[in-house]
Structures are given as C-alpha cells and as structure tokens.
Amino acid sequence: MNHNRVVCFDLEMCCWNENGVGTTGEIIEVGLAEIDLIKGEIVKRAQYYVKPDQDEVSLFCSQLTGITPRKIEKQGRPLAEVIKSMVKNFGGANKIYAAWGRDDIVLKQECLAKGIDMPFNEYINLATLYRIQNRLKDKRIGHRAAQESKGIEWEGRQHSGYVDAYNLAKLALTML
C-alpha cells in the first residue's frame, strides 16, 4: 500500500429533476486527481467519460454537468474499460482513493451490477473527515463550501468530475 499517494475522485451520473426531486442513474464521468503527500502537490489528473448501458443524458443533466449526449457518444467508453484505465494510470488496490461523500458506494454498486471488480480497497470519505476535524457533529457541508471555508479558491465549473476531483485534491492536501 502506498500511503504517500491518495487518488481523489469524483463521479458524475445521469440525472433528472422532476417536480423538484432529483434522481441519479448510471455513471457518465470519472474525474481523478492524485496527490503526493510528501511533496504536498497534485501530481496527476485524468477525466474519463462513461457510456451508460441503459440511461441517457437528460437536458437537466447537460445543464448541470456540461456533459452532453454528443460528448458521451464521441468520447464515452464502457465502465469496464474506464476502470481498467484508472487502475493502469493511477493504481488499483495499492492506492488509497478518496472522495467527498460516498462515491465509493455508488461505484461499488454499479461495478457489482455490471460484473466489474472494484478498482480499489482503501477509501477515505473526506466529507466525514472534514466534519470530524472541524467539530461539525450533525451539520453536513458541501465540498465547495468546505473548501471556501478554508480559504481555498474554487477553480472551474462545479459538477464536472474533472474539476471537482482537482478541487477536492487541493482541499485534501490541507486535510491529510
């Protein structure tokens, strides 16, 4: 296990908003940003688009994430191929992965449903760690608000897996 490196990741999923109720479906983007805890810097980034098997990208989803059906059609690959690329380029079970919230469960459930091995074993929920470190017992806080509370400027469009993973890596460097 490489404890000097952590791979921050963010998932974007197919999403809909009907009558003010948001729902999500299959993964359509995986953003990754690896940090080196010794150097204190982001050392690698990647973005993978995923072709959903059953869902499609709604207009609401395109407006929220910037991901269009055309982008998925042109650049998307099956989740199994994306997972192989993740493991090849970022390492699998030998790395610690981290996200804001429970993206590990989302990924695990979709991998299980599609017969794909989970790409990692070790996981850190940075939202929980942030709440512990900042004594926020019952209060939930979003990633952007947490980052800005630490004086770290948000860069880029929120709800892009690539951008969110990068920003999360910046925050993680102050937490780990």
Side-chain angles (χ1 to χ4, degrees), residues 41-169:
E41 64 186 27
I42 298 167
V43 294
K44 193 185 309 184
R45 294 175 70 187
Q47 176 180 44
Y48 302 109
Y49 290 109
V50 181
K51 270 191 182 165
D53 290 344
Q54 298 168 6
D55 288 337
E56 54 188 60
V57 179
S58 68
L59 177 60
F60 170 78
C61 191
S62 290
Q63 291 170 339
L64 181 68
T65 65
I67 301 170
T68 63
R70 180 175 169 85
K71 188 173 281 186
I72 292 297
E73 185 59 39
K74 286 190 166 290
Q75 298 177 37
R77 298 184 294 148
L79 182 61
E81 287 181 28
V82 167
I83 297 292
K84 283 180 189 171
S85 293
M86 283 173 60
V87 171
K88 179 182 175 200
N89 296 318
F90 290 86
N94 65 326
K95 290 279 181 72
I96 300 167
Y97 279 67
W100 192 265
R102 296 314 311 256
D103 279 10
D104 63 318
I105 292 175
V106 173
L107 184 61
K108 185 177 186 174
Q109 288 174 339
E110 192 161 330
C111 283
L112 187 62
K114 295 181 177 181
I116 303 165
D117 289 335
M118 194 61 176
F120 55 84
N121 299 320
E122 294 290 327
Y123 176 76
I124 301 169
N125 179 341
L126 292 171
T128 298
L129 182 59
Y130 182 90
R131 286 200 331 265
I132 291 167
Q133 289 176 343
N134 293 278
R135 306 292 189 254
L136 303 175
K137 291 180 183 169
D138 298 320
K139 186 178 177 190
R140 296 179 58 88
I141 186 168
H143 168 202
R144 186 171 185 159
Q147 183 166 319
E148 290 173 347
S149 79
K150 294 294 181 186
I152 304 167
E153 186 179 341
W154 186 275
E155 295 179 53
R157 178 193 180 124
Q158 195 171 6
H159 300 299
S160 156
Y162 184 70
V163 169
D164 289 357
Y166 171 71
N167 281 296
L168 185 59

